[in-house]
Amino acid sequence: MSELYIRVAEEENEEPMEIPSEDDGTVLLSSVAAQFPGACGLRYRNPESQCMRGVRLVEGVLHAPENDWGSLVYVVNYPKDNKRKMDEIDAASAVKVKRGFQKTSDLIVLGLPWKTTEQDLKDYFTTFGEVIMVQVKRDVKTGNSKGFGFVRFTEYETQTKVIAQRHMIDGRWCDCKLPNSRACPDEPMRSRKIFVGRCTEDMSTDDLRQYFMQYGEVTDVFIPKPFRAFAFVTFADDQVAQALCGEDLIIKGISVHISNAEPKHNNIHQLFPNFPGGSASLAAMFDRSQYQFPSSNV
């Protein structure tokens, strides 16, 4: 006698699985439970009445309705408490997977030594967890490193651990951060300029250029004259500028604050109330220099 299979599914609208029957045409409950852990019986929808009917179960053996399993799809029965628990586990797992997917992203690595390669970067960060991607940003013309790169991990827990500490890579301290991203591709380019507040008079443009070159290629440094205790630094890459915003850095032993530069002239008087000639004069200076001032207080 050839082996007969019946079609069984966890829910009516799901794809069924074939379960083998015994030589006498019955089906062992253990055969069902092997594929559907926790199963305690089967039910099916009666073609005539469209009502659900239970399959007779005697001492762990399921008997075919009217001695014929037919082509019906049989639905698994679970104890109510067990079914509820399984649903809760599935829901919790789905939330966990969703959260992990939403939070894992590329990290920007600032302050890389010029000699660091992508393989060096991968070898270092693999010690924290599985690495999906590494990239060292390079100048298109020269091929030289720009002093920063990107890394992405498989696990969100690894990403959190990496962000929480500084990293000694090829003899230099580096920082990993979540770069500020655009909400959509239609938004304008983010500013490549940063506002450096709390500067001292002994800080020259060369001092600032040399300091900020560790984070990426610097294209311009501007210190207003007469001296006003602030400066502007422009990077080749806007992601480097955005990643530094909000930081307090030590330059020549002095703590300076980094802000984003935005064209909001209504904030000038609040930032520099004692500027000679008032806010109009200061705004004119910003316009002439083609630089912008920060959106938050220094």
Side-chain angles (χ1 to χ4, degrees), residues 126-144:
T126 299
T127 62
F128 292 88
E130 183 179 357
V131 174
I132 298 177
M133 176 277 298
V134 292
Q135 180 186 29
V136 174
K137 296 295 286 185
R138 297 184 179 279
D139 184 89
V140 176
K141 295 181 179 179
T142 66
N144 295 330

Side-chain angles (χ1 to χ4, degrees), residues 151-165:
V151 61
R152 185 169 186 173
F153 296 94
T154 303
E155 300 294 333
Y156 173 65
E157 289 76 10
T158 304
Q159 173 178 304
T160 303
K161 182 168 60 176
V162 168
I163 292 175
Q165 64 186 79

Side-chain angles (χ1 to χ4, degrees), residues 58-100:
V58 179
E59 296 181 352
V61 178
L62 293 159
H63 295 266
E66 301 177 358
N67 298 319
D68 183 14
W69 291 103
S71 59
L72 299 174
V73 174
Y74 296 85
V75 181
V76 177
N77 288 335
Y78 292 101
K80 288 186 178 180
D81 290 343
N82 188 59
K83 181 63 164 66
R84 188 181 299 114
K85 183 177 181 180
M86 291 179 67
D87 289 343
E88 290 174 355
I89 292 174
D90 289 343
S93 298
V95 171
K96 185 176 181 181
V97 170
K98 184 178 181 181
R99 285 178 180 171

